[in-house]
């Protein structure tokens, strides 16, 4: 069982006056994800940098951690990650 760590930037956009997830972008490093999320939040409502650890073979998630949030992020974003 080989674990792989991936860094992802999740953007957020406003749709019908509600904040919703937009595009996801993979970053090569943790600091890269944080910098990219902060830069994106300057031109979009918000963004979050995530660290995702998953089994490389099965894709089963081991853990998801929010490294940083910038701008507007839904209040239930962290809960939605824990729920699956």
């Amino acid at each position: 069982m080989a674990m792989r760590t991936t860094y992802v930037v999740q953007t957020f956009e406003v749709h019908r006056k509600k904040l919703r997830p937009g595009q996801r972008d993979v970053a090569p490093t943790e600091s890269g994800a944080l910098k990219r999320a902060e830069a994106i939040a300057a031109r979009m409502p918000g963004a979050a940098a995530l660290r995702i650890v998953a089994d490389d073979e099965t894709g089963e998630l081991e853990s998801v951690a929010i490294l940083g949030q910038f701008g507007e992020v839904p209040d239930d974003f962290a809960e939605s990650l824990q729920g699956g």
Side-chain angles (χ1 to χ4, degrees):
M1 179 158 75
M3 301 309 270
R4 171 178 268 173
T5 301
T6 306
Y7 301 99
V8 175
V9 176
Q10 173 67 64
T11 63
F12 295 95
E13 55 191 28
V14 176
H15 181 72
R16 296 185 185 193
K17 299 182 182 179
K18 288 187 79 176
L19 207 54
R20 70 173 191 180
Q23 291 185 314
R24 289 186 185 155
D25 191 18
V26 176
T29 64
E30 181 174 327
S31 63
L34 287 164
K35 288 177 185 176
R36 193 173 297 175
E38 188 172 17
I40 288 171
R43 61 182 196 275
M44 293 188 79
L50 308 171
R51 177 179 56 235
I52 301 170
V53 180
D55 185 309
D56 201 23
E57 294 173 10
T58 66
E60 185 176 333
L61 287 179
E62 175 74 19
S63 66
V64 179
I66 299 173
L67 302 172
Q69 300 181 126
F70 304 91
E72 295 180 53
V73 176
D75 293 334
D76 63 348
F77 180 59
E79 290 176 17
S80 69
L81 294 176
Q82 299 306 319

